[in-house]
Amino acid sequence: MQEYYIHSKFKPSTSEIRLNIDYARELNEQQLAAVTASPGPALVIAGAGSGKTRTLTYRVAYLLEQGIPADRILLLTFTNKAAAEMMRRVSDLLGHELRSLWGGTFHSIGARILRLHAEALGYERDFTILDRDDAKDLIKACLADAKIDKQDKHFPKPDVLNEIFSLAANTHRSIQELVEGQFSYFSQFDKEIADLQKRYTARKRASNGMDFDDLLALWLKLLQEHTDIREHYQRRFQFILVDEYQDTNKLQGDLIDLLAARHHNVTVVGDDAQSIYAWRGANFANILNFPKRHPGAKVFKIETNYRSTPEILNVANAAITANVNQFGKALAPARKSGLKPALVQCHDAGQQAAFIAQRALELREEGASLNHIAVLYRSHFHALELQLELTRRQIPFSITSGIRFFEQAHIKDATAYLKFVANPRDEVSFKRLVLLLPGIGTKGAEKLFQRFSSRTANGGLETEEKTQPSTAKPAHPLATALQNCTQAVPKKAAVPWAQFIATISQLEDESTRRSATKMLRLVMDAGYDDYLKETYDNYERRLDEIQQLAEFAFQFGTVDEFLTQLALLTNVEAEDDPQDDTEKIKLSTIHQAKGLEFEIVFVIMLCDGLFPSSRSTESNEGEEEERRLFYVSITRAKNELYLCYPLIRGGFGQSGVDTYQSPSRFLSEIPKDLLNEWNLR
């Protein structure tokens, strides 16, 4: 295989392309240095809003112009959207499509290579790529094979097992190590889980199937175990370029290092200050230790920011300074001066919400579009009061952080208990709760509802034994009616059914049913906590959200009022409809907003314990990642930035008493003269 090199000291090939790009005119000095770098390993630290994509695409064009054939270049990205955008920009520079360039996501390139060499790993080339549902079904079959009794112990469900297997593959950790570190509540099952992983791997191979993680894990295995194939791709990919390198995991880092081991021409682009995905397996050490793993690597810093005003950048630079583990840099503005960011102190979350709603209306009157306003937060539940306030004022908003808070399964499960107790005829809530019980399916739920309905016809109660006078009503009529349905319950669901009845009985008690907060806390204490552990890999986040929902519910006088507001909030738009041209404020978690930009940004709930989260402050690594998350939120803003925090959390804590909160420690790290302080108390 012929090899090519760039720069005048190497003889260019006959395939050299002349694009006549004036790199010095079209790039700034820092971008130009990275784009025209000589062969060898290079780490490009591209700050927020500094033109990262532009730098990568011009680097590809420069390599082509220097005589490197397109099929000798490998461009790796994280999303299909990013890959398509990168390829489009390269094509625009060239004036035509470049089909021979190897560009795409890690997984798409892995699939392409595995299709060519599947036999070397004992697979056929027509292997199936399993989606999440396929993987779940295969894991269910493994559970049946292993004869694990899930009725007597809280064993993880297939979705959780799939997540454990995925994290183990992507972080190169054993099941025992992973369970101990991230799923300690399953530690008594680590041997069974490890056995299931082996069974799952065997079943995939037997069915000629690979899951999403195999596209990387087996790609690496292929290169490690087959010298001829490894050397072929090491020769082929003379120049490797990687986007968003700070988000790579251990597996992806090892793949890149192995592919680049011959030529060492690997350019990775990213921003260590925006590494915020450790919770899903990203390995911050990849970007931090790149120069150590690649001796002689050149480090380029691109610090000119084209997005934000100087005042916003001053706050961003100050916000990240306290992190010890980082490549020091300072974003420099390319724009003219603007307003100082505001530090907004509020009495409570309600006042914070009212301020944002009012300020948004004022900005709208001043000519700003609601589409250009974003409210960013650390966790879903931080925006509860704001959603309520915007709904009350009929200010349109959309939530771009995935599934709406109130439509998440665990929130609907918890509130279904309240709905059922408030309205025993609620068929949807009854069936939702019954289907949570093991051993009861759709048909069983329908049968139970019909039997239950006959016991509560016309709002009354008919007991099987009819031992009570017709004028008397039991203290807990729903629990009694459910008890009278026991004969229709499958034997394997008998114990969970009895527990369900006991929970409903407690919820019906007059001392509890008058308070939505008490009811939600009781649901958690009565066993739903265990269900979350078994069912979801992000159990702790979901538990936090239900606990915060209980705090949120404290402000409502009655359960009916709480449920009414819940219904209103559930009807907001979750995502922008392309056909809907209504102006809407964007509500988003910061994780979902990474890579986006907005004219005006509000960052809310900047209180210690909320942002940074209490769990993150248990380690230096966790706190530094939270500080990077804060930095990301600041650098989304172009023109105006509002940093908001309430001093009081209404009804916070088990006592339901107002609790004072400390402003986020991150705020104290920003010099006061950089902020315009607004005290709304």
Side-chain angles (χ1 to χ4, degrees):
M1 182 178 292
Q2 187 175 359
E3 298 182 17
Y4 303 84
Y5 300 91
I6 64 175
H7 287 269
S8 58
K9 61 182 176 179
F10 300 111
K11 183 180 179 181
S13 78
T14 55
S15 62
E16 181 178 353
I17 298 174
R18 304 311 304 174
L19 300 176
N20 297 316
I21 297 173
D22 188 344
Y23 294 95
R25 184 176 64 84
E26 298 188 28
L27 301 168
N28 66 37
E29 188 176 336
Q30 292 177 329
Q31 291 170 338
L32 180 65
V35 165
T36 61
S38 58
L43 170 62
V44 181
I45 301 296
S50 66
K52 169 180 63 68
T53 302
R54 185 178 184 83
T55 302
L56 264 177
T57 52
Y58 273 79
R59 175 64 172 170
V60 173
Y62 185 76
L63 291 174
L64 294 170
E65 197 170 16
Q66 297 302 307
I68 305 302
D71 63 355
R72 298 294 188 268
I73 300 171
L74 174 63
L75 175 61
L76 292 167
T77 66
F78 266 85
T79 66
N80 291 320
K81 182 179 178 181
E85 173 65 11
M86 207 81 72
M87 298 297 279
R88 182 191 66 77
R89 292 199 190 188
V90 170
S91 297
D92 287 348
L93 281 176
L94 297 177
H96 60 83
E97 288 189 22
L98 197 64
R99 297 184 182 278
S100 56
L101 175 67
W102 281 61
T105 65
F106 279 89
H107 293 88
S108 67
I109 298 297
R112 182 175 176 180
I113 290 175
L114 288 169
R115 290 286 184 202
L116 296 172
H117 305 283
E119 292 93 339
L121 294 172
Y123 285 83
E124 299 297 326
R125 289 193 180 188
D126 61 351
F127 62 81
T128 300
I129 298 177
L130 308 175
D131 62 23
R132 193 170 183 87
D133 285 339
D134 296 333
K136 181 178 174 181
D137 289 341
L138 213 55
I139 291 172
K140 284 181 179 177
C142 295
L143 282 165
D145 257 1
K147 295 182 172 58
I148 292 176
D149 183 3
K150 295 180 292 180
Q151 309 304 317
D152 298 333
K153 51 189 180 181
H154 300 299
F155 197 81
K157 294 185 178 179
D159 277 334
V160 179
L161 289 169
N162 194 21
E163 184 65 18
I164 292 173
F165 298 161
S166 176
L167 280 171
N170 284 288
T171 60
H172 283 191
R173 295 160 73 188
S174 69
I175 291 296
Q176 286 81 3
E177 183 183 3
L178 186 67
V179 168
E180 182 180 350
Q182 291 183 238
F183 300 88
S184 57
Y185 39 88
F186 292 137
S187 57
Q188 70 270 37
F189 307 129
D190 59 357
K191 290 184 174 58
E192 291 98 323
I193 295 172
D195 176 66
L196 283 169
Q197 183 192 39
K198 292 177 182 176
R199 292 173 183 268
Y200 176 55
T201 300
R203 275 186 174 269
K204 284 187 293 182
R205 183 180 292 275
S207 63
N208 196 36
M210 298 183 189
D211 63 21
F212 209 53
D213 301 307
D214 288 330
L215 299 179
L216 301 186
L218 292 180
W219 178 15
L220 181 60
K221 180 181 174 70
L222 179 74
L223 298 179
Q224 289 174 331
E225 297 182 356
H226 297 274
T227 305
D228 56 335
I229 297 174
R230 178 176 67 249
E231 291 182 350
H232 169 79
Y233 286 105
Q234 286 176 338
R235 283 192 169 90
R236 178 178 201 114
F237 298 134
Q238 292 177 236
F239 288 86
I240 301 170
L241 296 91
V242 186
D243 188 22
E244 300 286 10
Y245 187 68
Q246 78 280 348
D247 294 333
T248 54
N249 58 39
K250 180 70 167 62
L251 179 52
Q252 290 161 331
D254 288 351
L255 269 168
I256 295 163
D257 290 352
L258 190 56
L259 285 170
R262 178 180 177 84
H263 295 297
H264 304 287
N265 296 327
V266 55
T267 299
V268 299
V269 182
D271 184 5
D272 58 297
Q274 296 188 70
S275 179
I276 58 174
Y277 295 114
W279 52 276
R280 69 181 189 194
N283 187 6
F284 181 62
N286 281 355
I287 191 166
L288 202 63
N289 297 330
F290 183 86
K292 294 179 183 177
R293 296 202 320 278
H294 296 270
K298 295 179 180 177
V299 179
F300 300 90
K301 295 180 182 179
I302 304 178
E303 299 167 297
T304 302
N305 176 286
Y306 296 93
R307 175 185 300 157
S308 308
T309 63
E311 289 76 11
I312 291 173
L313 294 184
N314 287 338
V315 172
N317 288 331
I320 199 65
T321 300
N323 271 11
V324 175
N325 298 303
Q326 65 169 316
F327 291 97
K329 62 180 175 300
L331 294 177
R335 293 185 55 198
K336 293 181 180 179
S337 184
L339 297 173
K340 269 188 183 182
L343 178 62
V344 185
Q345 181 187 101
C346 307
H347 175 69
D348 56 20
Q351 188 181 49
Q352 177 182 249
F355 161 72
I356 293 170
Q358 183 60 37
R359 184 65 186 135
L361 292 176
E362 293 169 357
L363 290 164
R364 181 69 180 82
E365 286 296 316
E366 294 168 11
S369 168
L370 294 182
N371 289 334
H372 298 153
I373 301 174
V375 182
L376 306 181
Y377 37 83
R378 172 66 180 81
S379 300
H380 290 286
F381 62 79
H382 292 176
L384 294 182
E385 289 85 357
L386 178 60
Q387 290 183 44
L388 182 61
E389 183 68 19
L390 294 175
T391 302
R392 283 172 177 163
R393 296 199 187 201
Q394 297 185 326
I395 299 174
F397 65 95
S398 63
I399 301 176
T400 56
S401 53
I403 300 174
R404 289 170 280 193
F405 179 86
F406 296 105
E407 291 193 351
Q408 297 177 103
H410 58 294
I411 299 298
K412 291 177 73 70
D413 289 346
T415 54
Y417 282 95
L418 279 63
K419 291 179 179 180
F420 176 57
V421 172
N423 175 21
R425 297 184 186 183
D426 187 341
E427 178 179 354
V428 173
S429 293
F430 176 92
K431 289 181 177 178
R432 185 177 193 91
L433 296 174
V434 167
L435 286 170
L436 293 176
L437 306 179
I440 298 179
T442 304
K443 290 183 179 179
E446 174 64 29
K447 181 180 178 181
L448 279 167
F449 182 71
Q450 293 302 325
R451 190 177 182 95
F452 174 78
S453 297
S454 70
R455 298 294 185 273
T456 56
N458 301 317
L461 178 72
E462 297 179 15
T463 65
E464 291 184 349
E465 298 178 359
K466 297 185 180 293
T467 57
Q468 300 184 63
S470 60
T471 57
K473 288 189 177 181
H476 302 133
L478 288 183
T480 303
L482 291 171
Q483 183 65 49
N484 290 331
C485 298
T486 300
Q487 290 182 355
V489 175
K491 287 184 179 179
K492 57 184 175 181
V495 173
W497 178 258
Q499 293 171 336
F500 173 57
I501 293 173
T503 300
I504 295 299
S505 177
Q506 290 176 291
L507 290 171
E508 283 189 280
D509 192 87
E510 281 301 316
S511 63
T512 302
R513 67 178 301 168
R514 286 195 291 262
S515 167
T517 297
K518 287 184 179 180
M519 293 181 77
L520 287 167
R521 287 174 178 160
L522 192 150
V523 168
M524 296 305 300
D525 293 341
Y528 190 71
D529 182 3
D530 291 329
Y531 174 81
L532 288 177
K533 289 177 183 175
E534 302 160 26
T535 309
Y536 301 110
D537 59 278
N538 54 357
Y539 143 74
E540 291 176 328
R541 177 181 69 77
R542 292 177 186 258
L543 176 61
D544 281 346
E545 290 184 347
I546 295 179
Q547 290 172 336
Q548 291 299 325
L549 181 65
E551 309 297 351
F552 175 70
F554 188 78
Q555 65 186 287
F556 299 97
T558 66
V559 173
D560 286 341
E561 184 184 346
F562 170 68
L563 292 174
T564 298
Q565 291 299 329
L566 215 63
L568 293 174
L569 290 171
T570 303
N571 287 317
V572 303
E573 294 294 328
E575 296 288 347
D576 288 327
D577 181 349
Q579 306 302 318
D580 185 1
D581 58 1
T582 305
E583 287 185 27
K584 297 174 185 176
I585 297 174
K586 304 294 189 296
L587 272 58
S588 176
T589 62
I590 302 166
H591 284 103
Q592 288 291 330
K594 183 176 176 290
L596 304 179
E597 58 182 36
F598 306 93
E599 301 287 338
I600 301 153
V601 169
F602 295 84
V603 186
I604 65 172
M605 286 298 181
L606 283 163
C607 306
D608 254 21
L610 297 177
F611 193 0
S613 68
S614 55
R615 211 164 13 246
S616 69
T617 56
E618 294 173 0
S619 68
N620 290 332
E621 294 81 5
E623 183 171 325
E624 290 209 348
E625 175 145 329
E626 289 285 290
R627 190 175 285 107
R628 294 194 293 269
L629 190 63
F630 181 47
Y631 174 84
V632 167
S633 72
I634 294 170
T635 54
R636 300 311 94 200
K638 297 171 70 175
N639 299 331
E640 295 187 37
L641 174 66
Y642 299 84
L643 305 176
C644 310
Y645 66 95
L647 286 177
I648 289 175
R649 187 68 163 163
F652 197 82
Q654 291 293 326
S655 64
V657 176
D658 289 351
T659 303
Y660 282 94
Q661 300 181 128
S662 299
S664 172
R665 65 193 66 188
F666 299 153
L667 295 175
S668 65
E669 296 168 354
I670 301 172
K672 289 187 176 182
D673 63 325
L674 299 182
L675 298 169
N676 183 8
E677 296 191 43
W678 296 17
N679 190 337
L680 304 184
R681 297 186 67 205

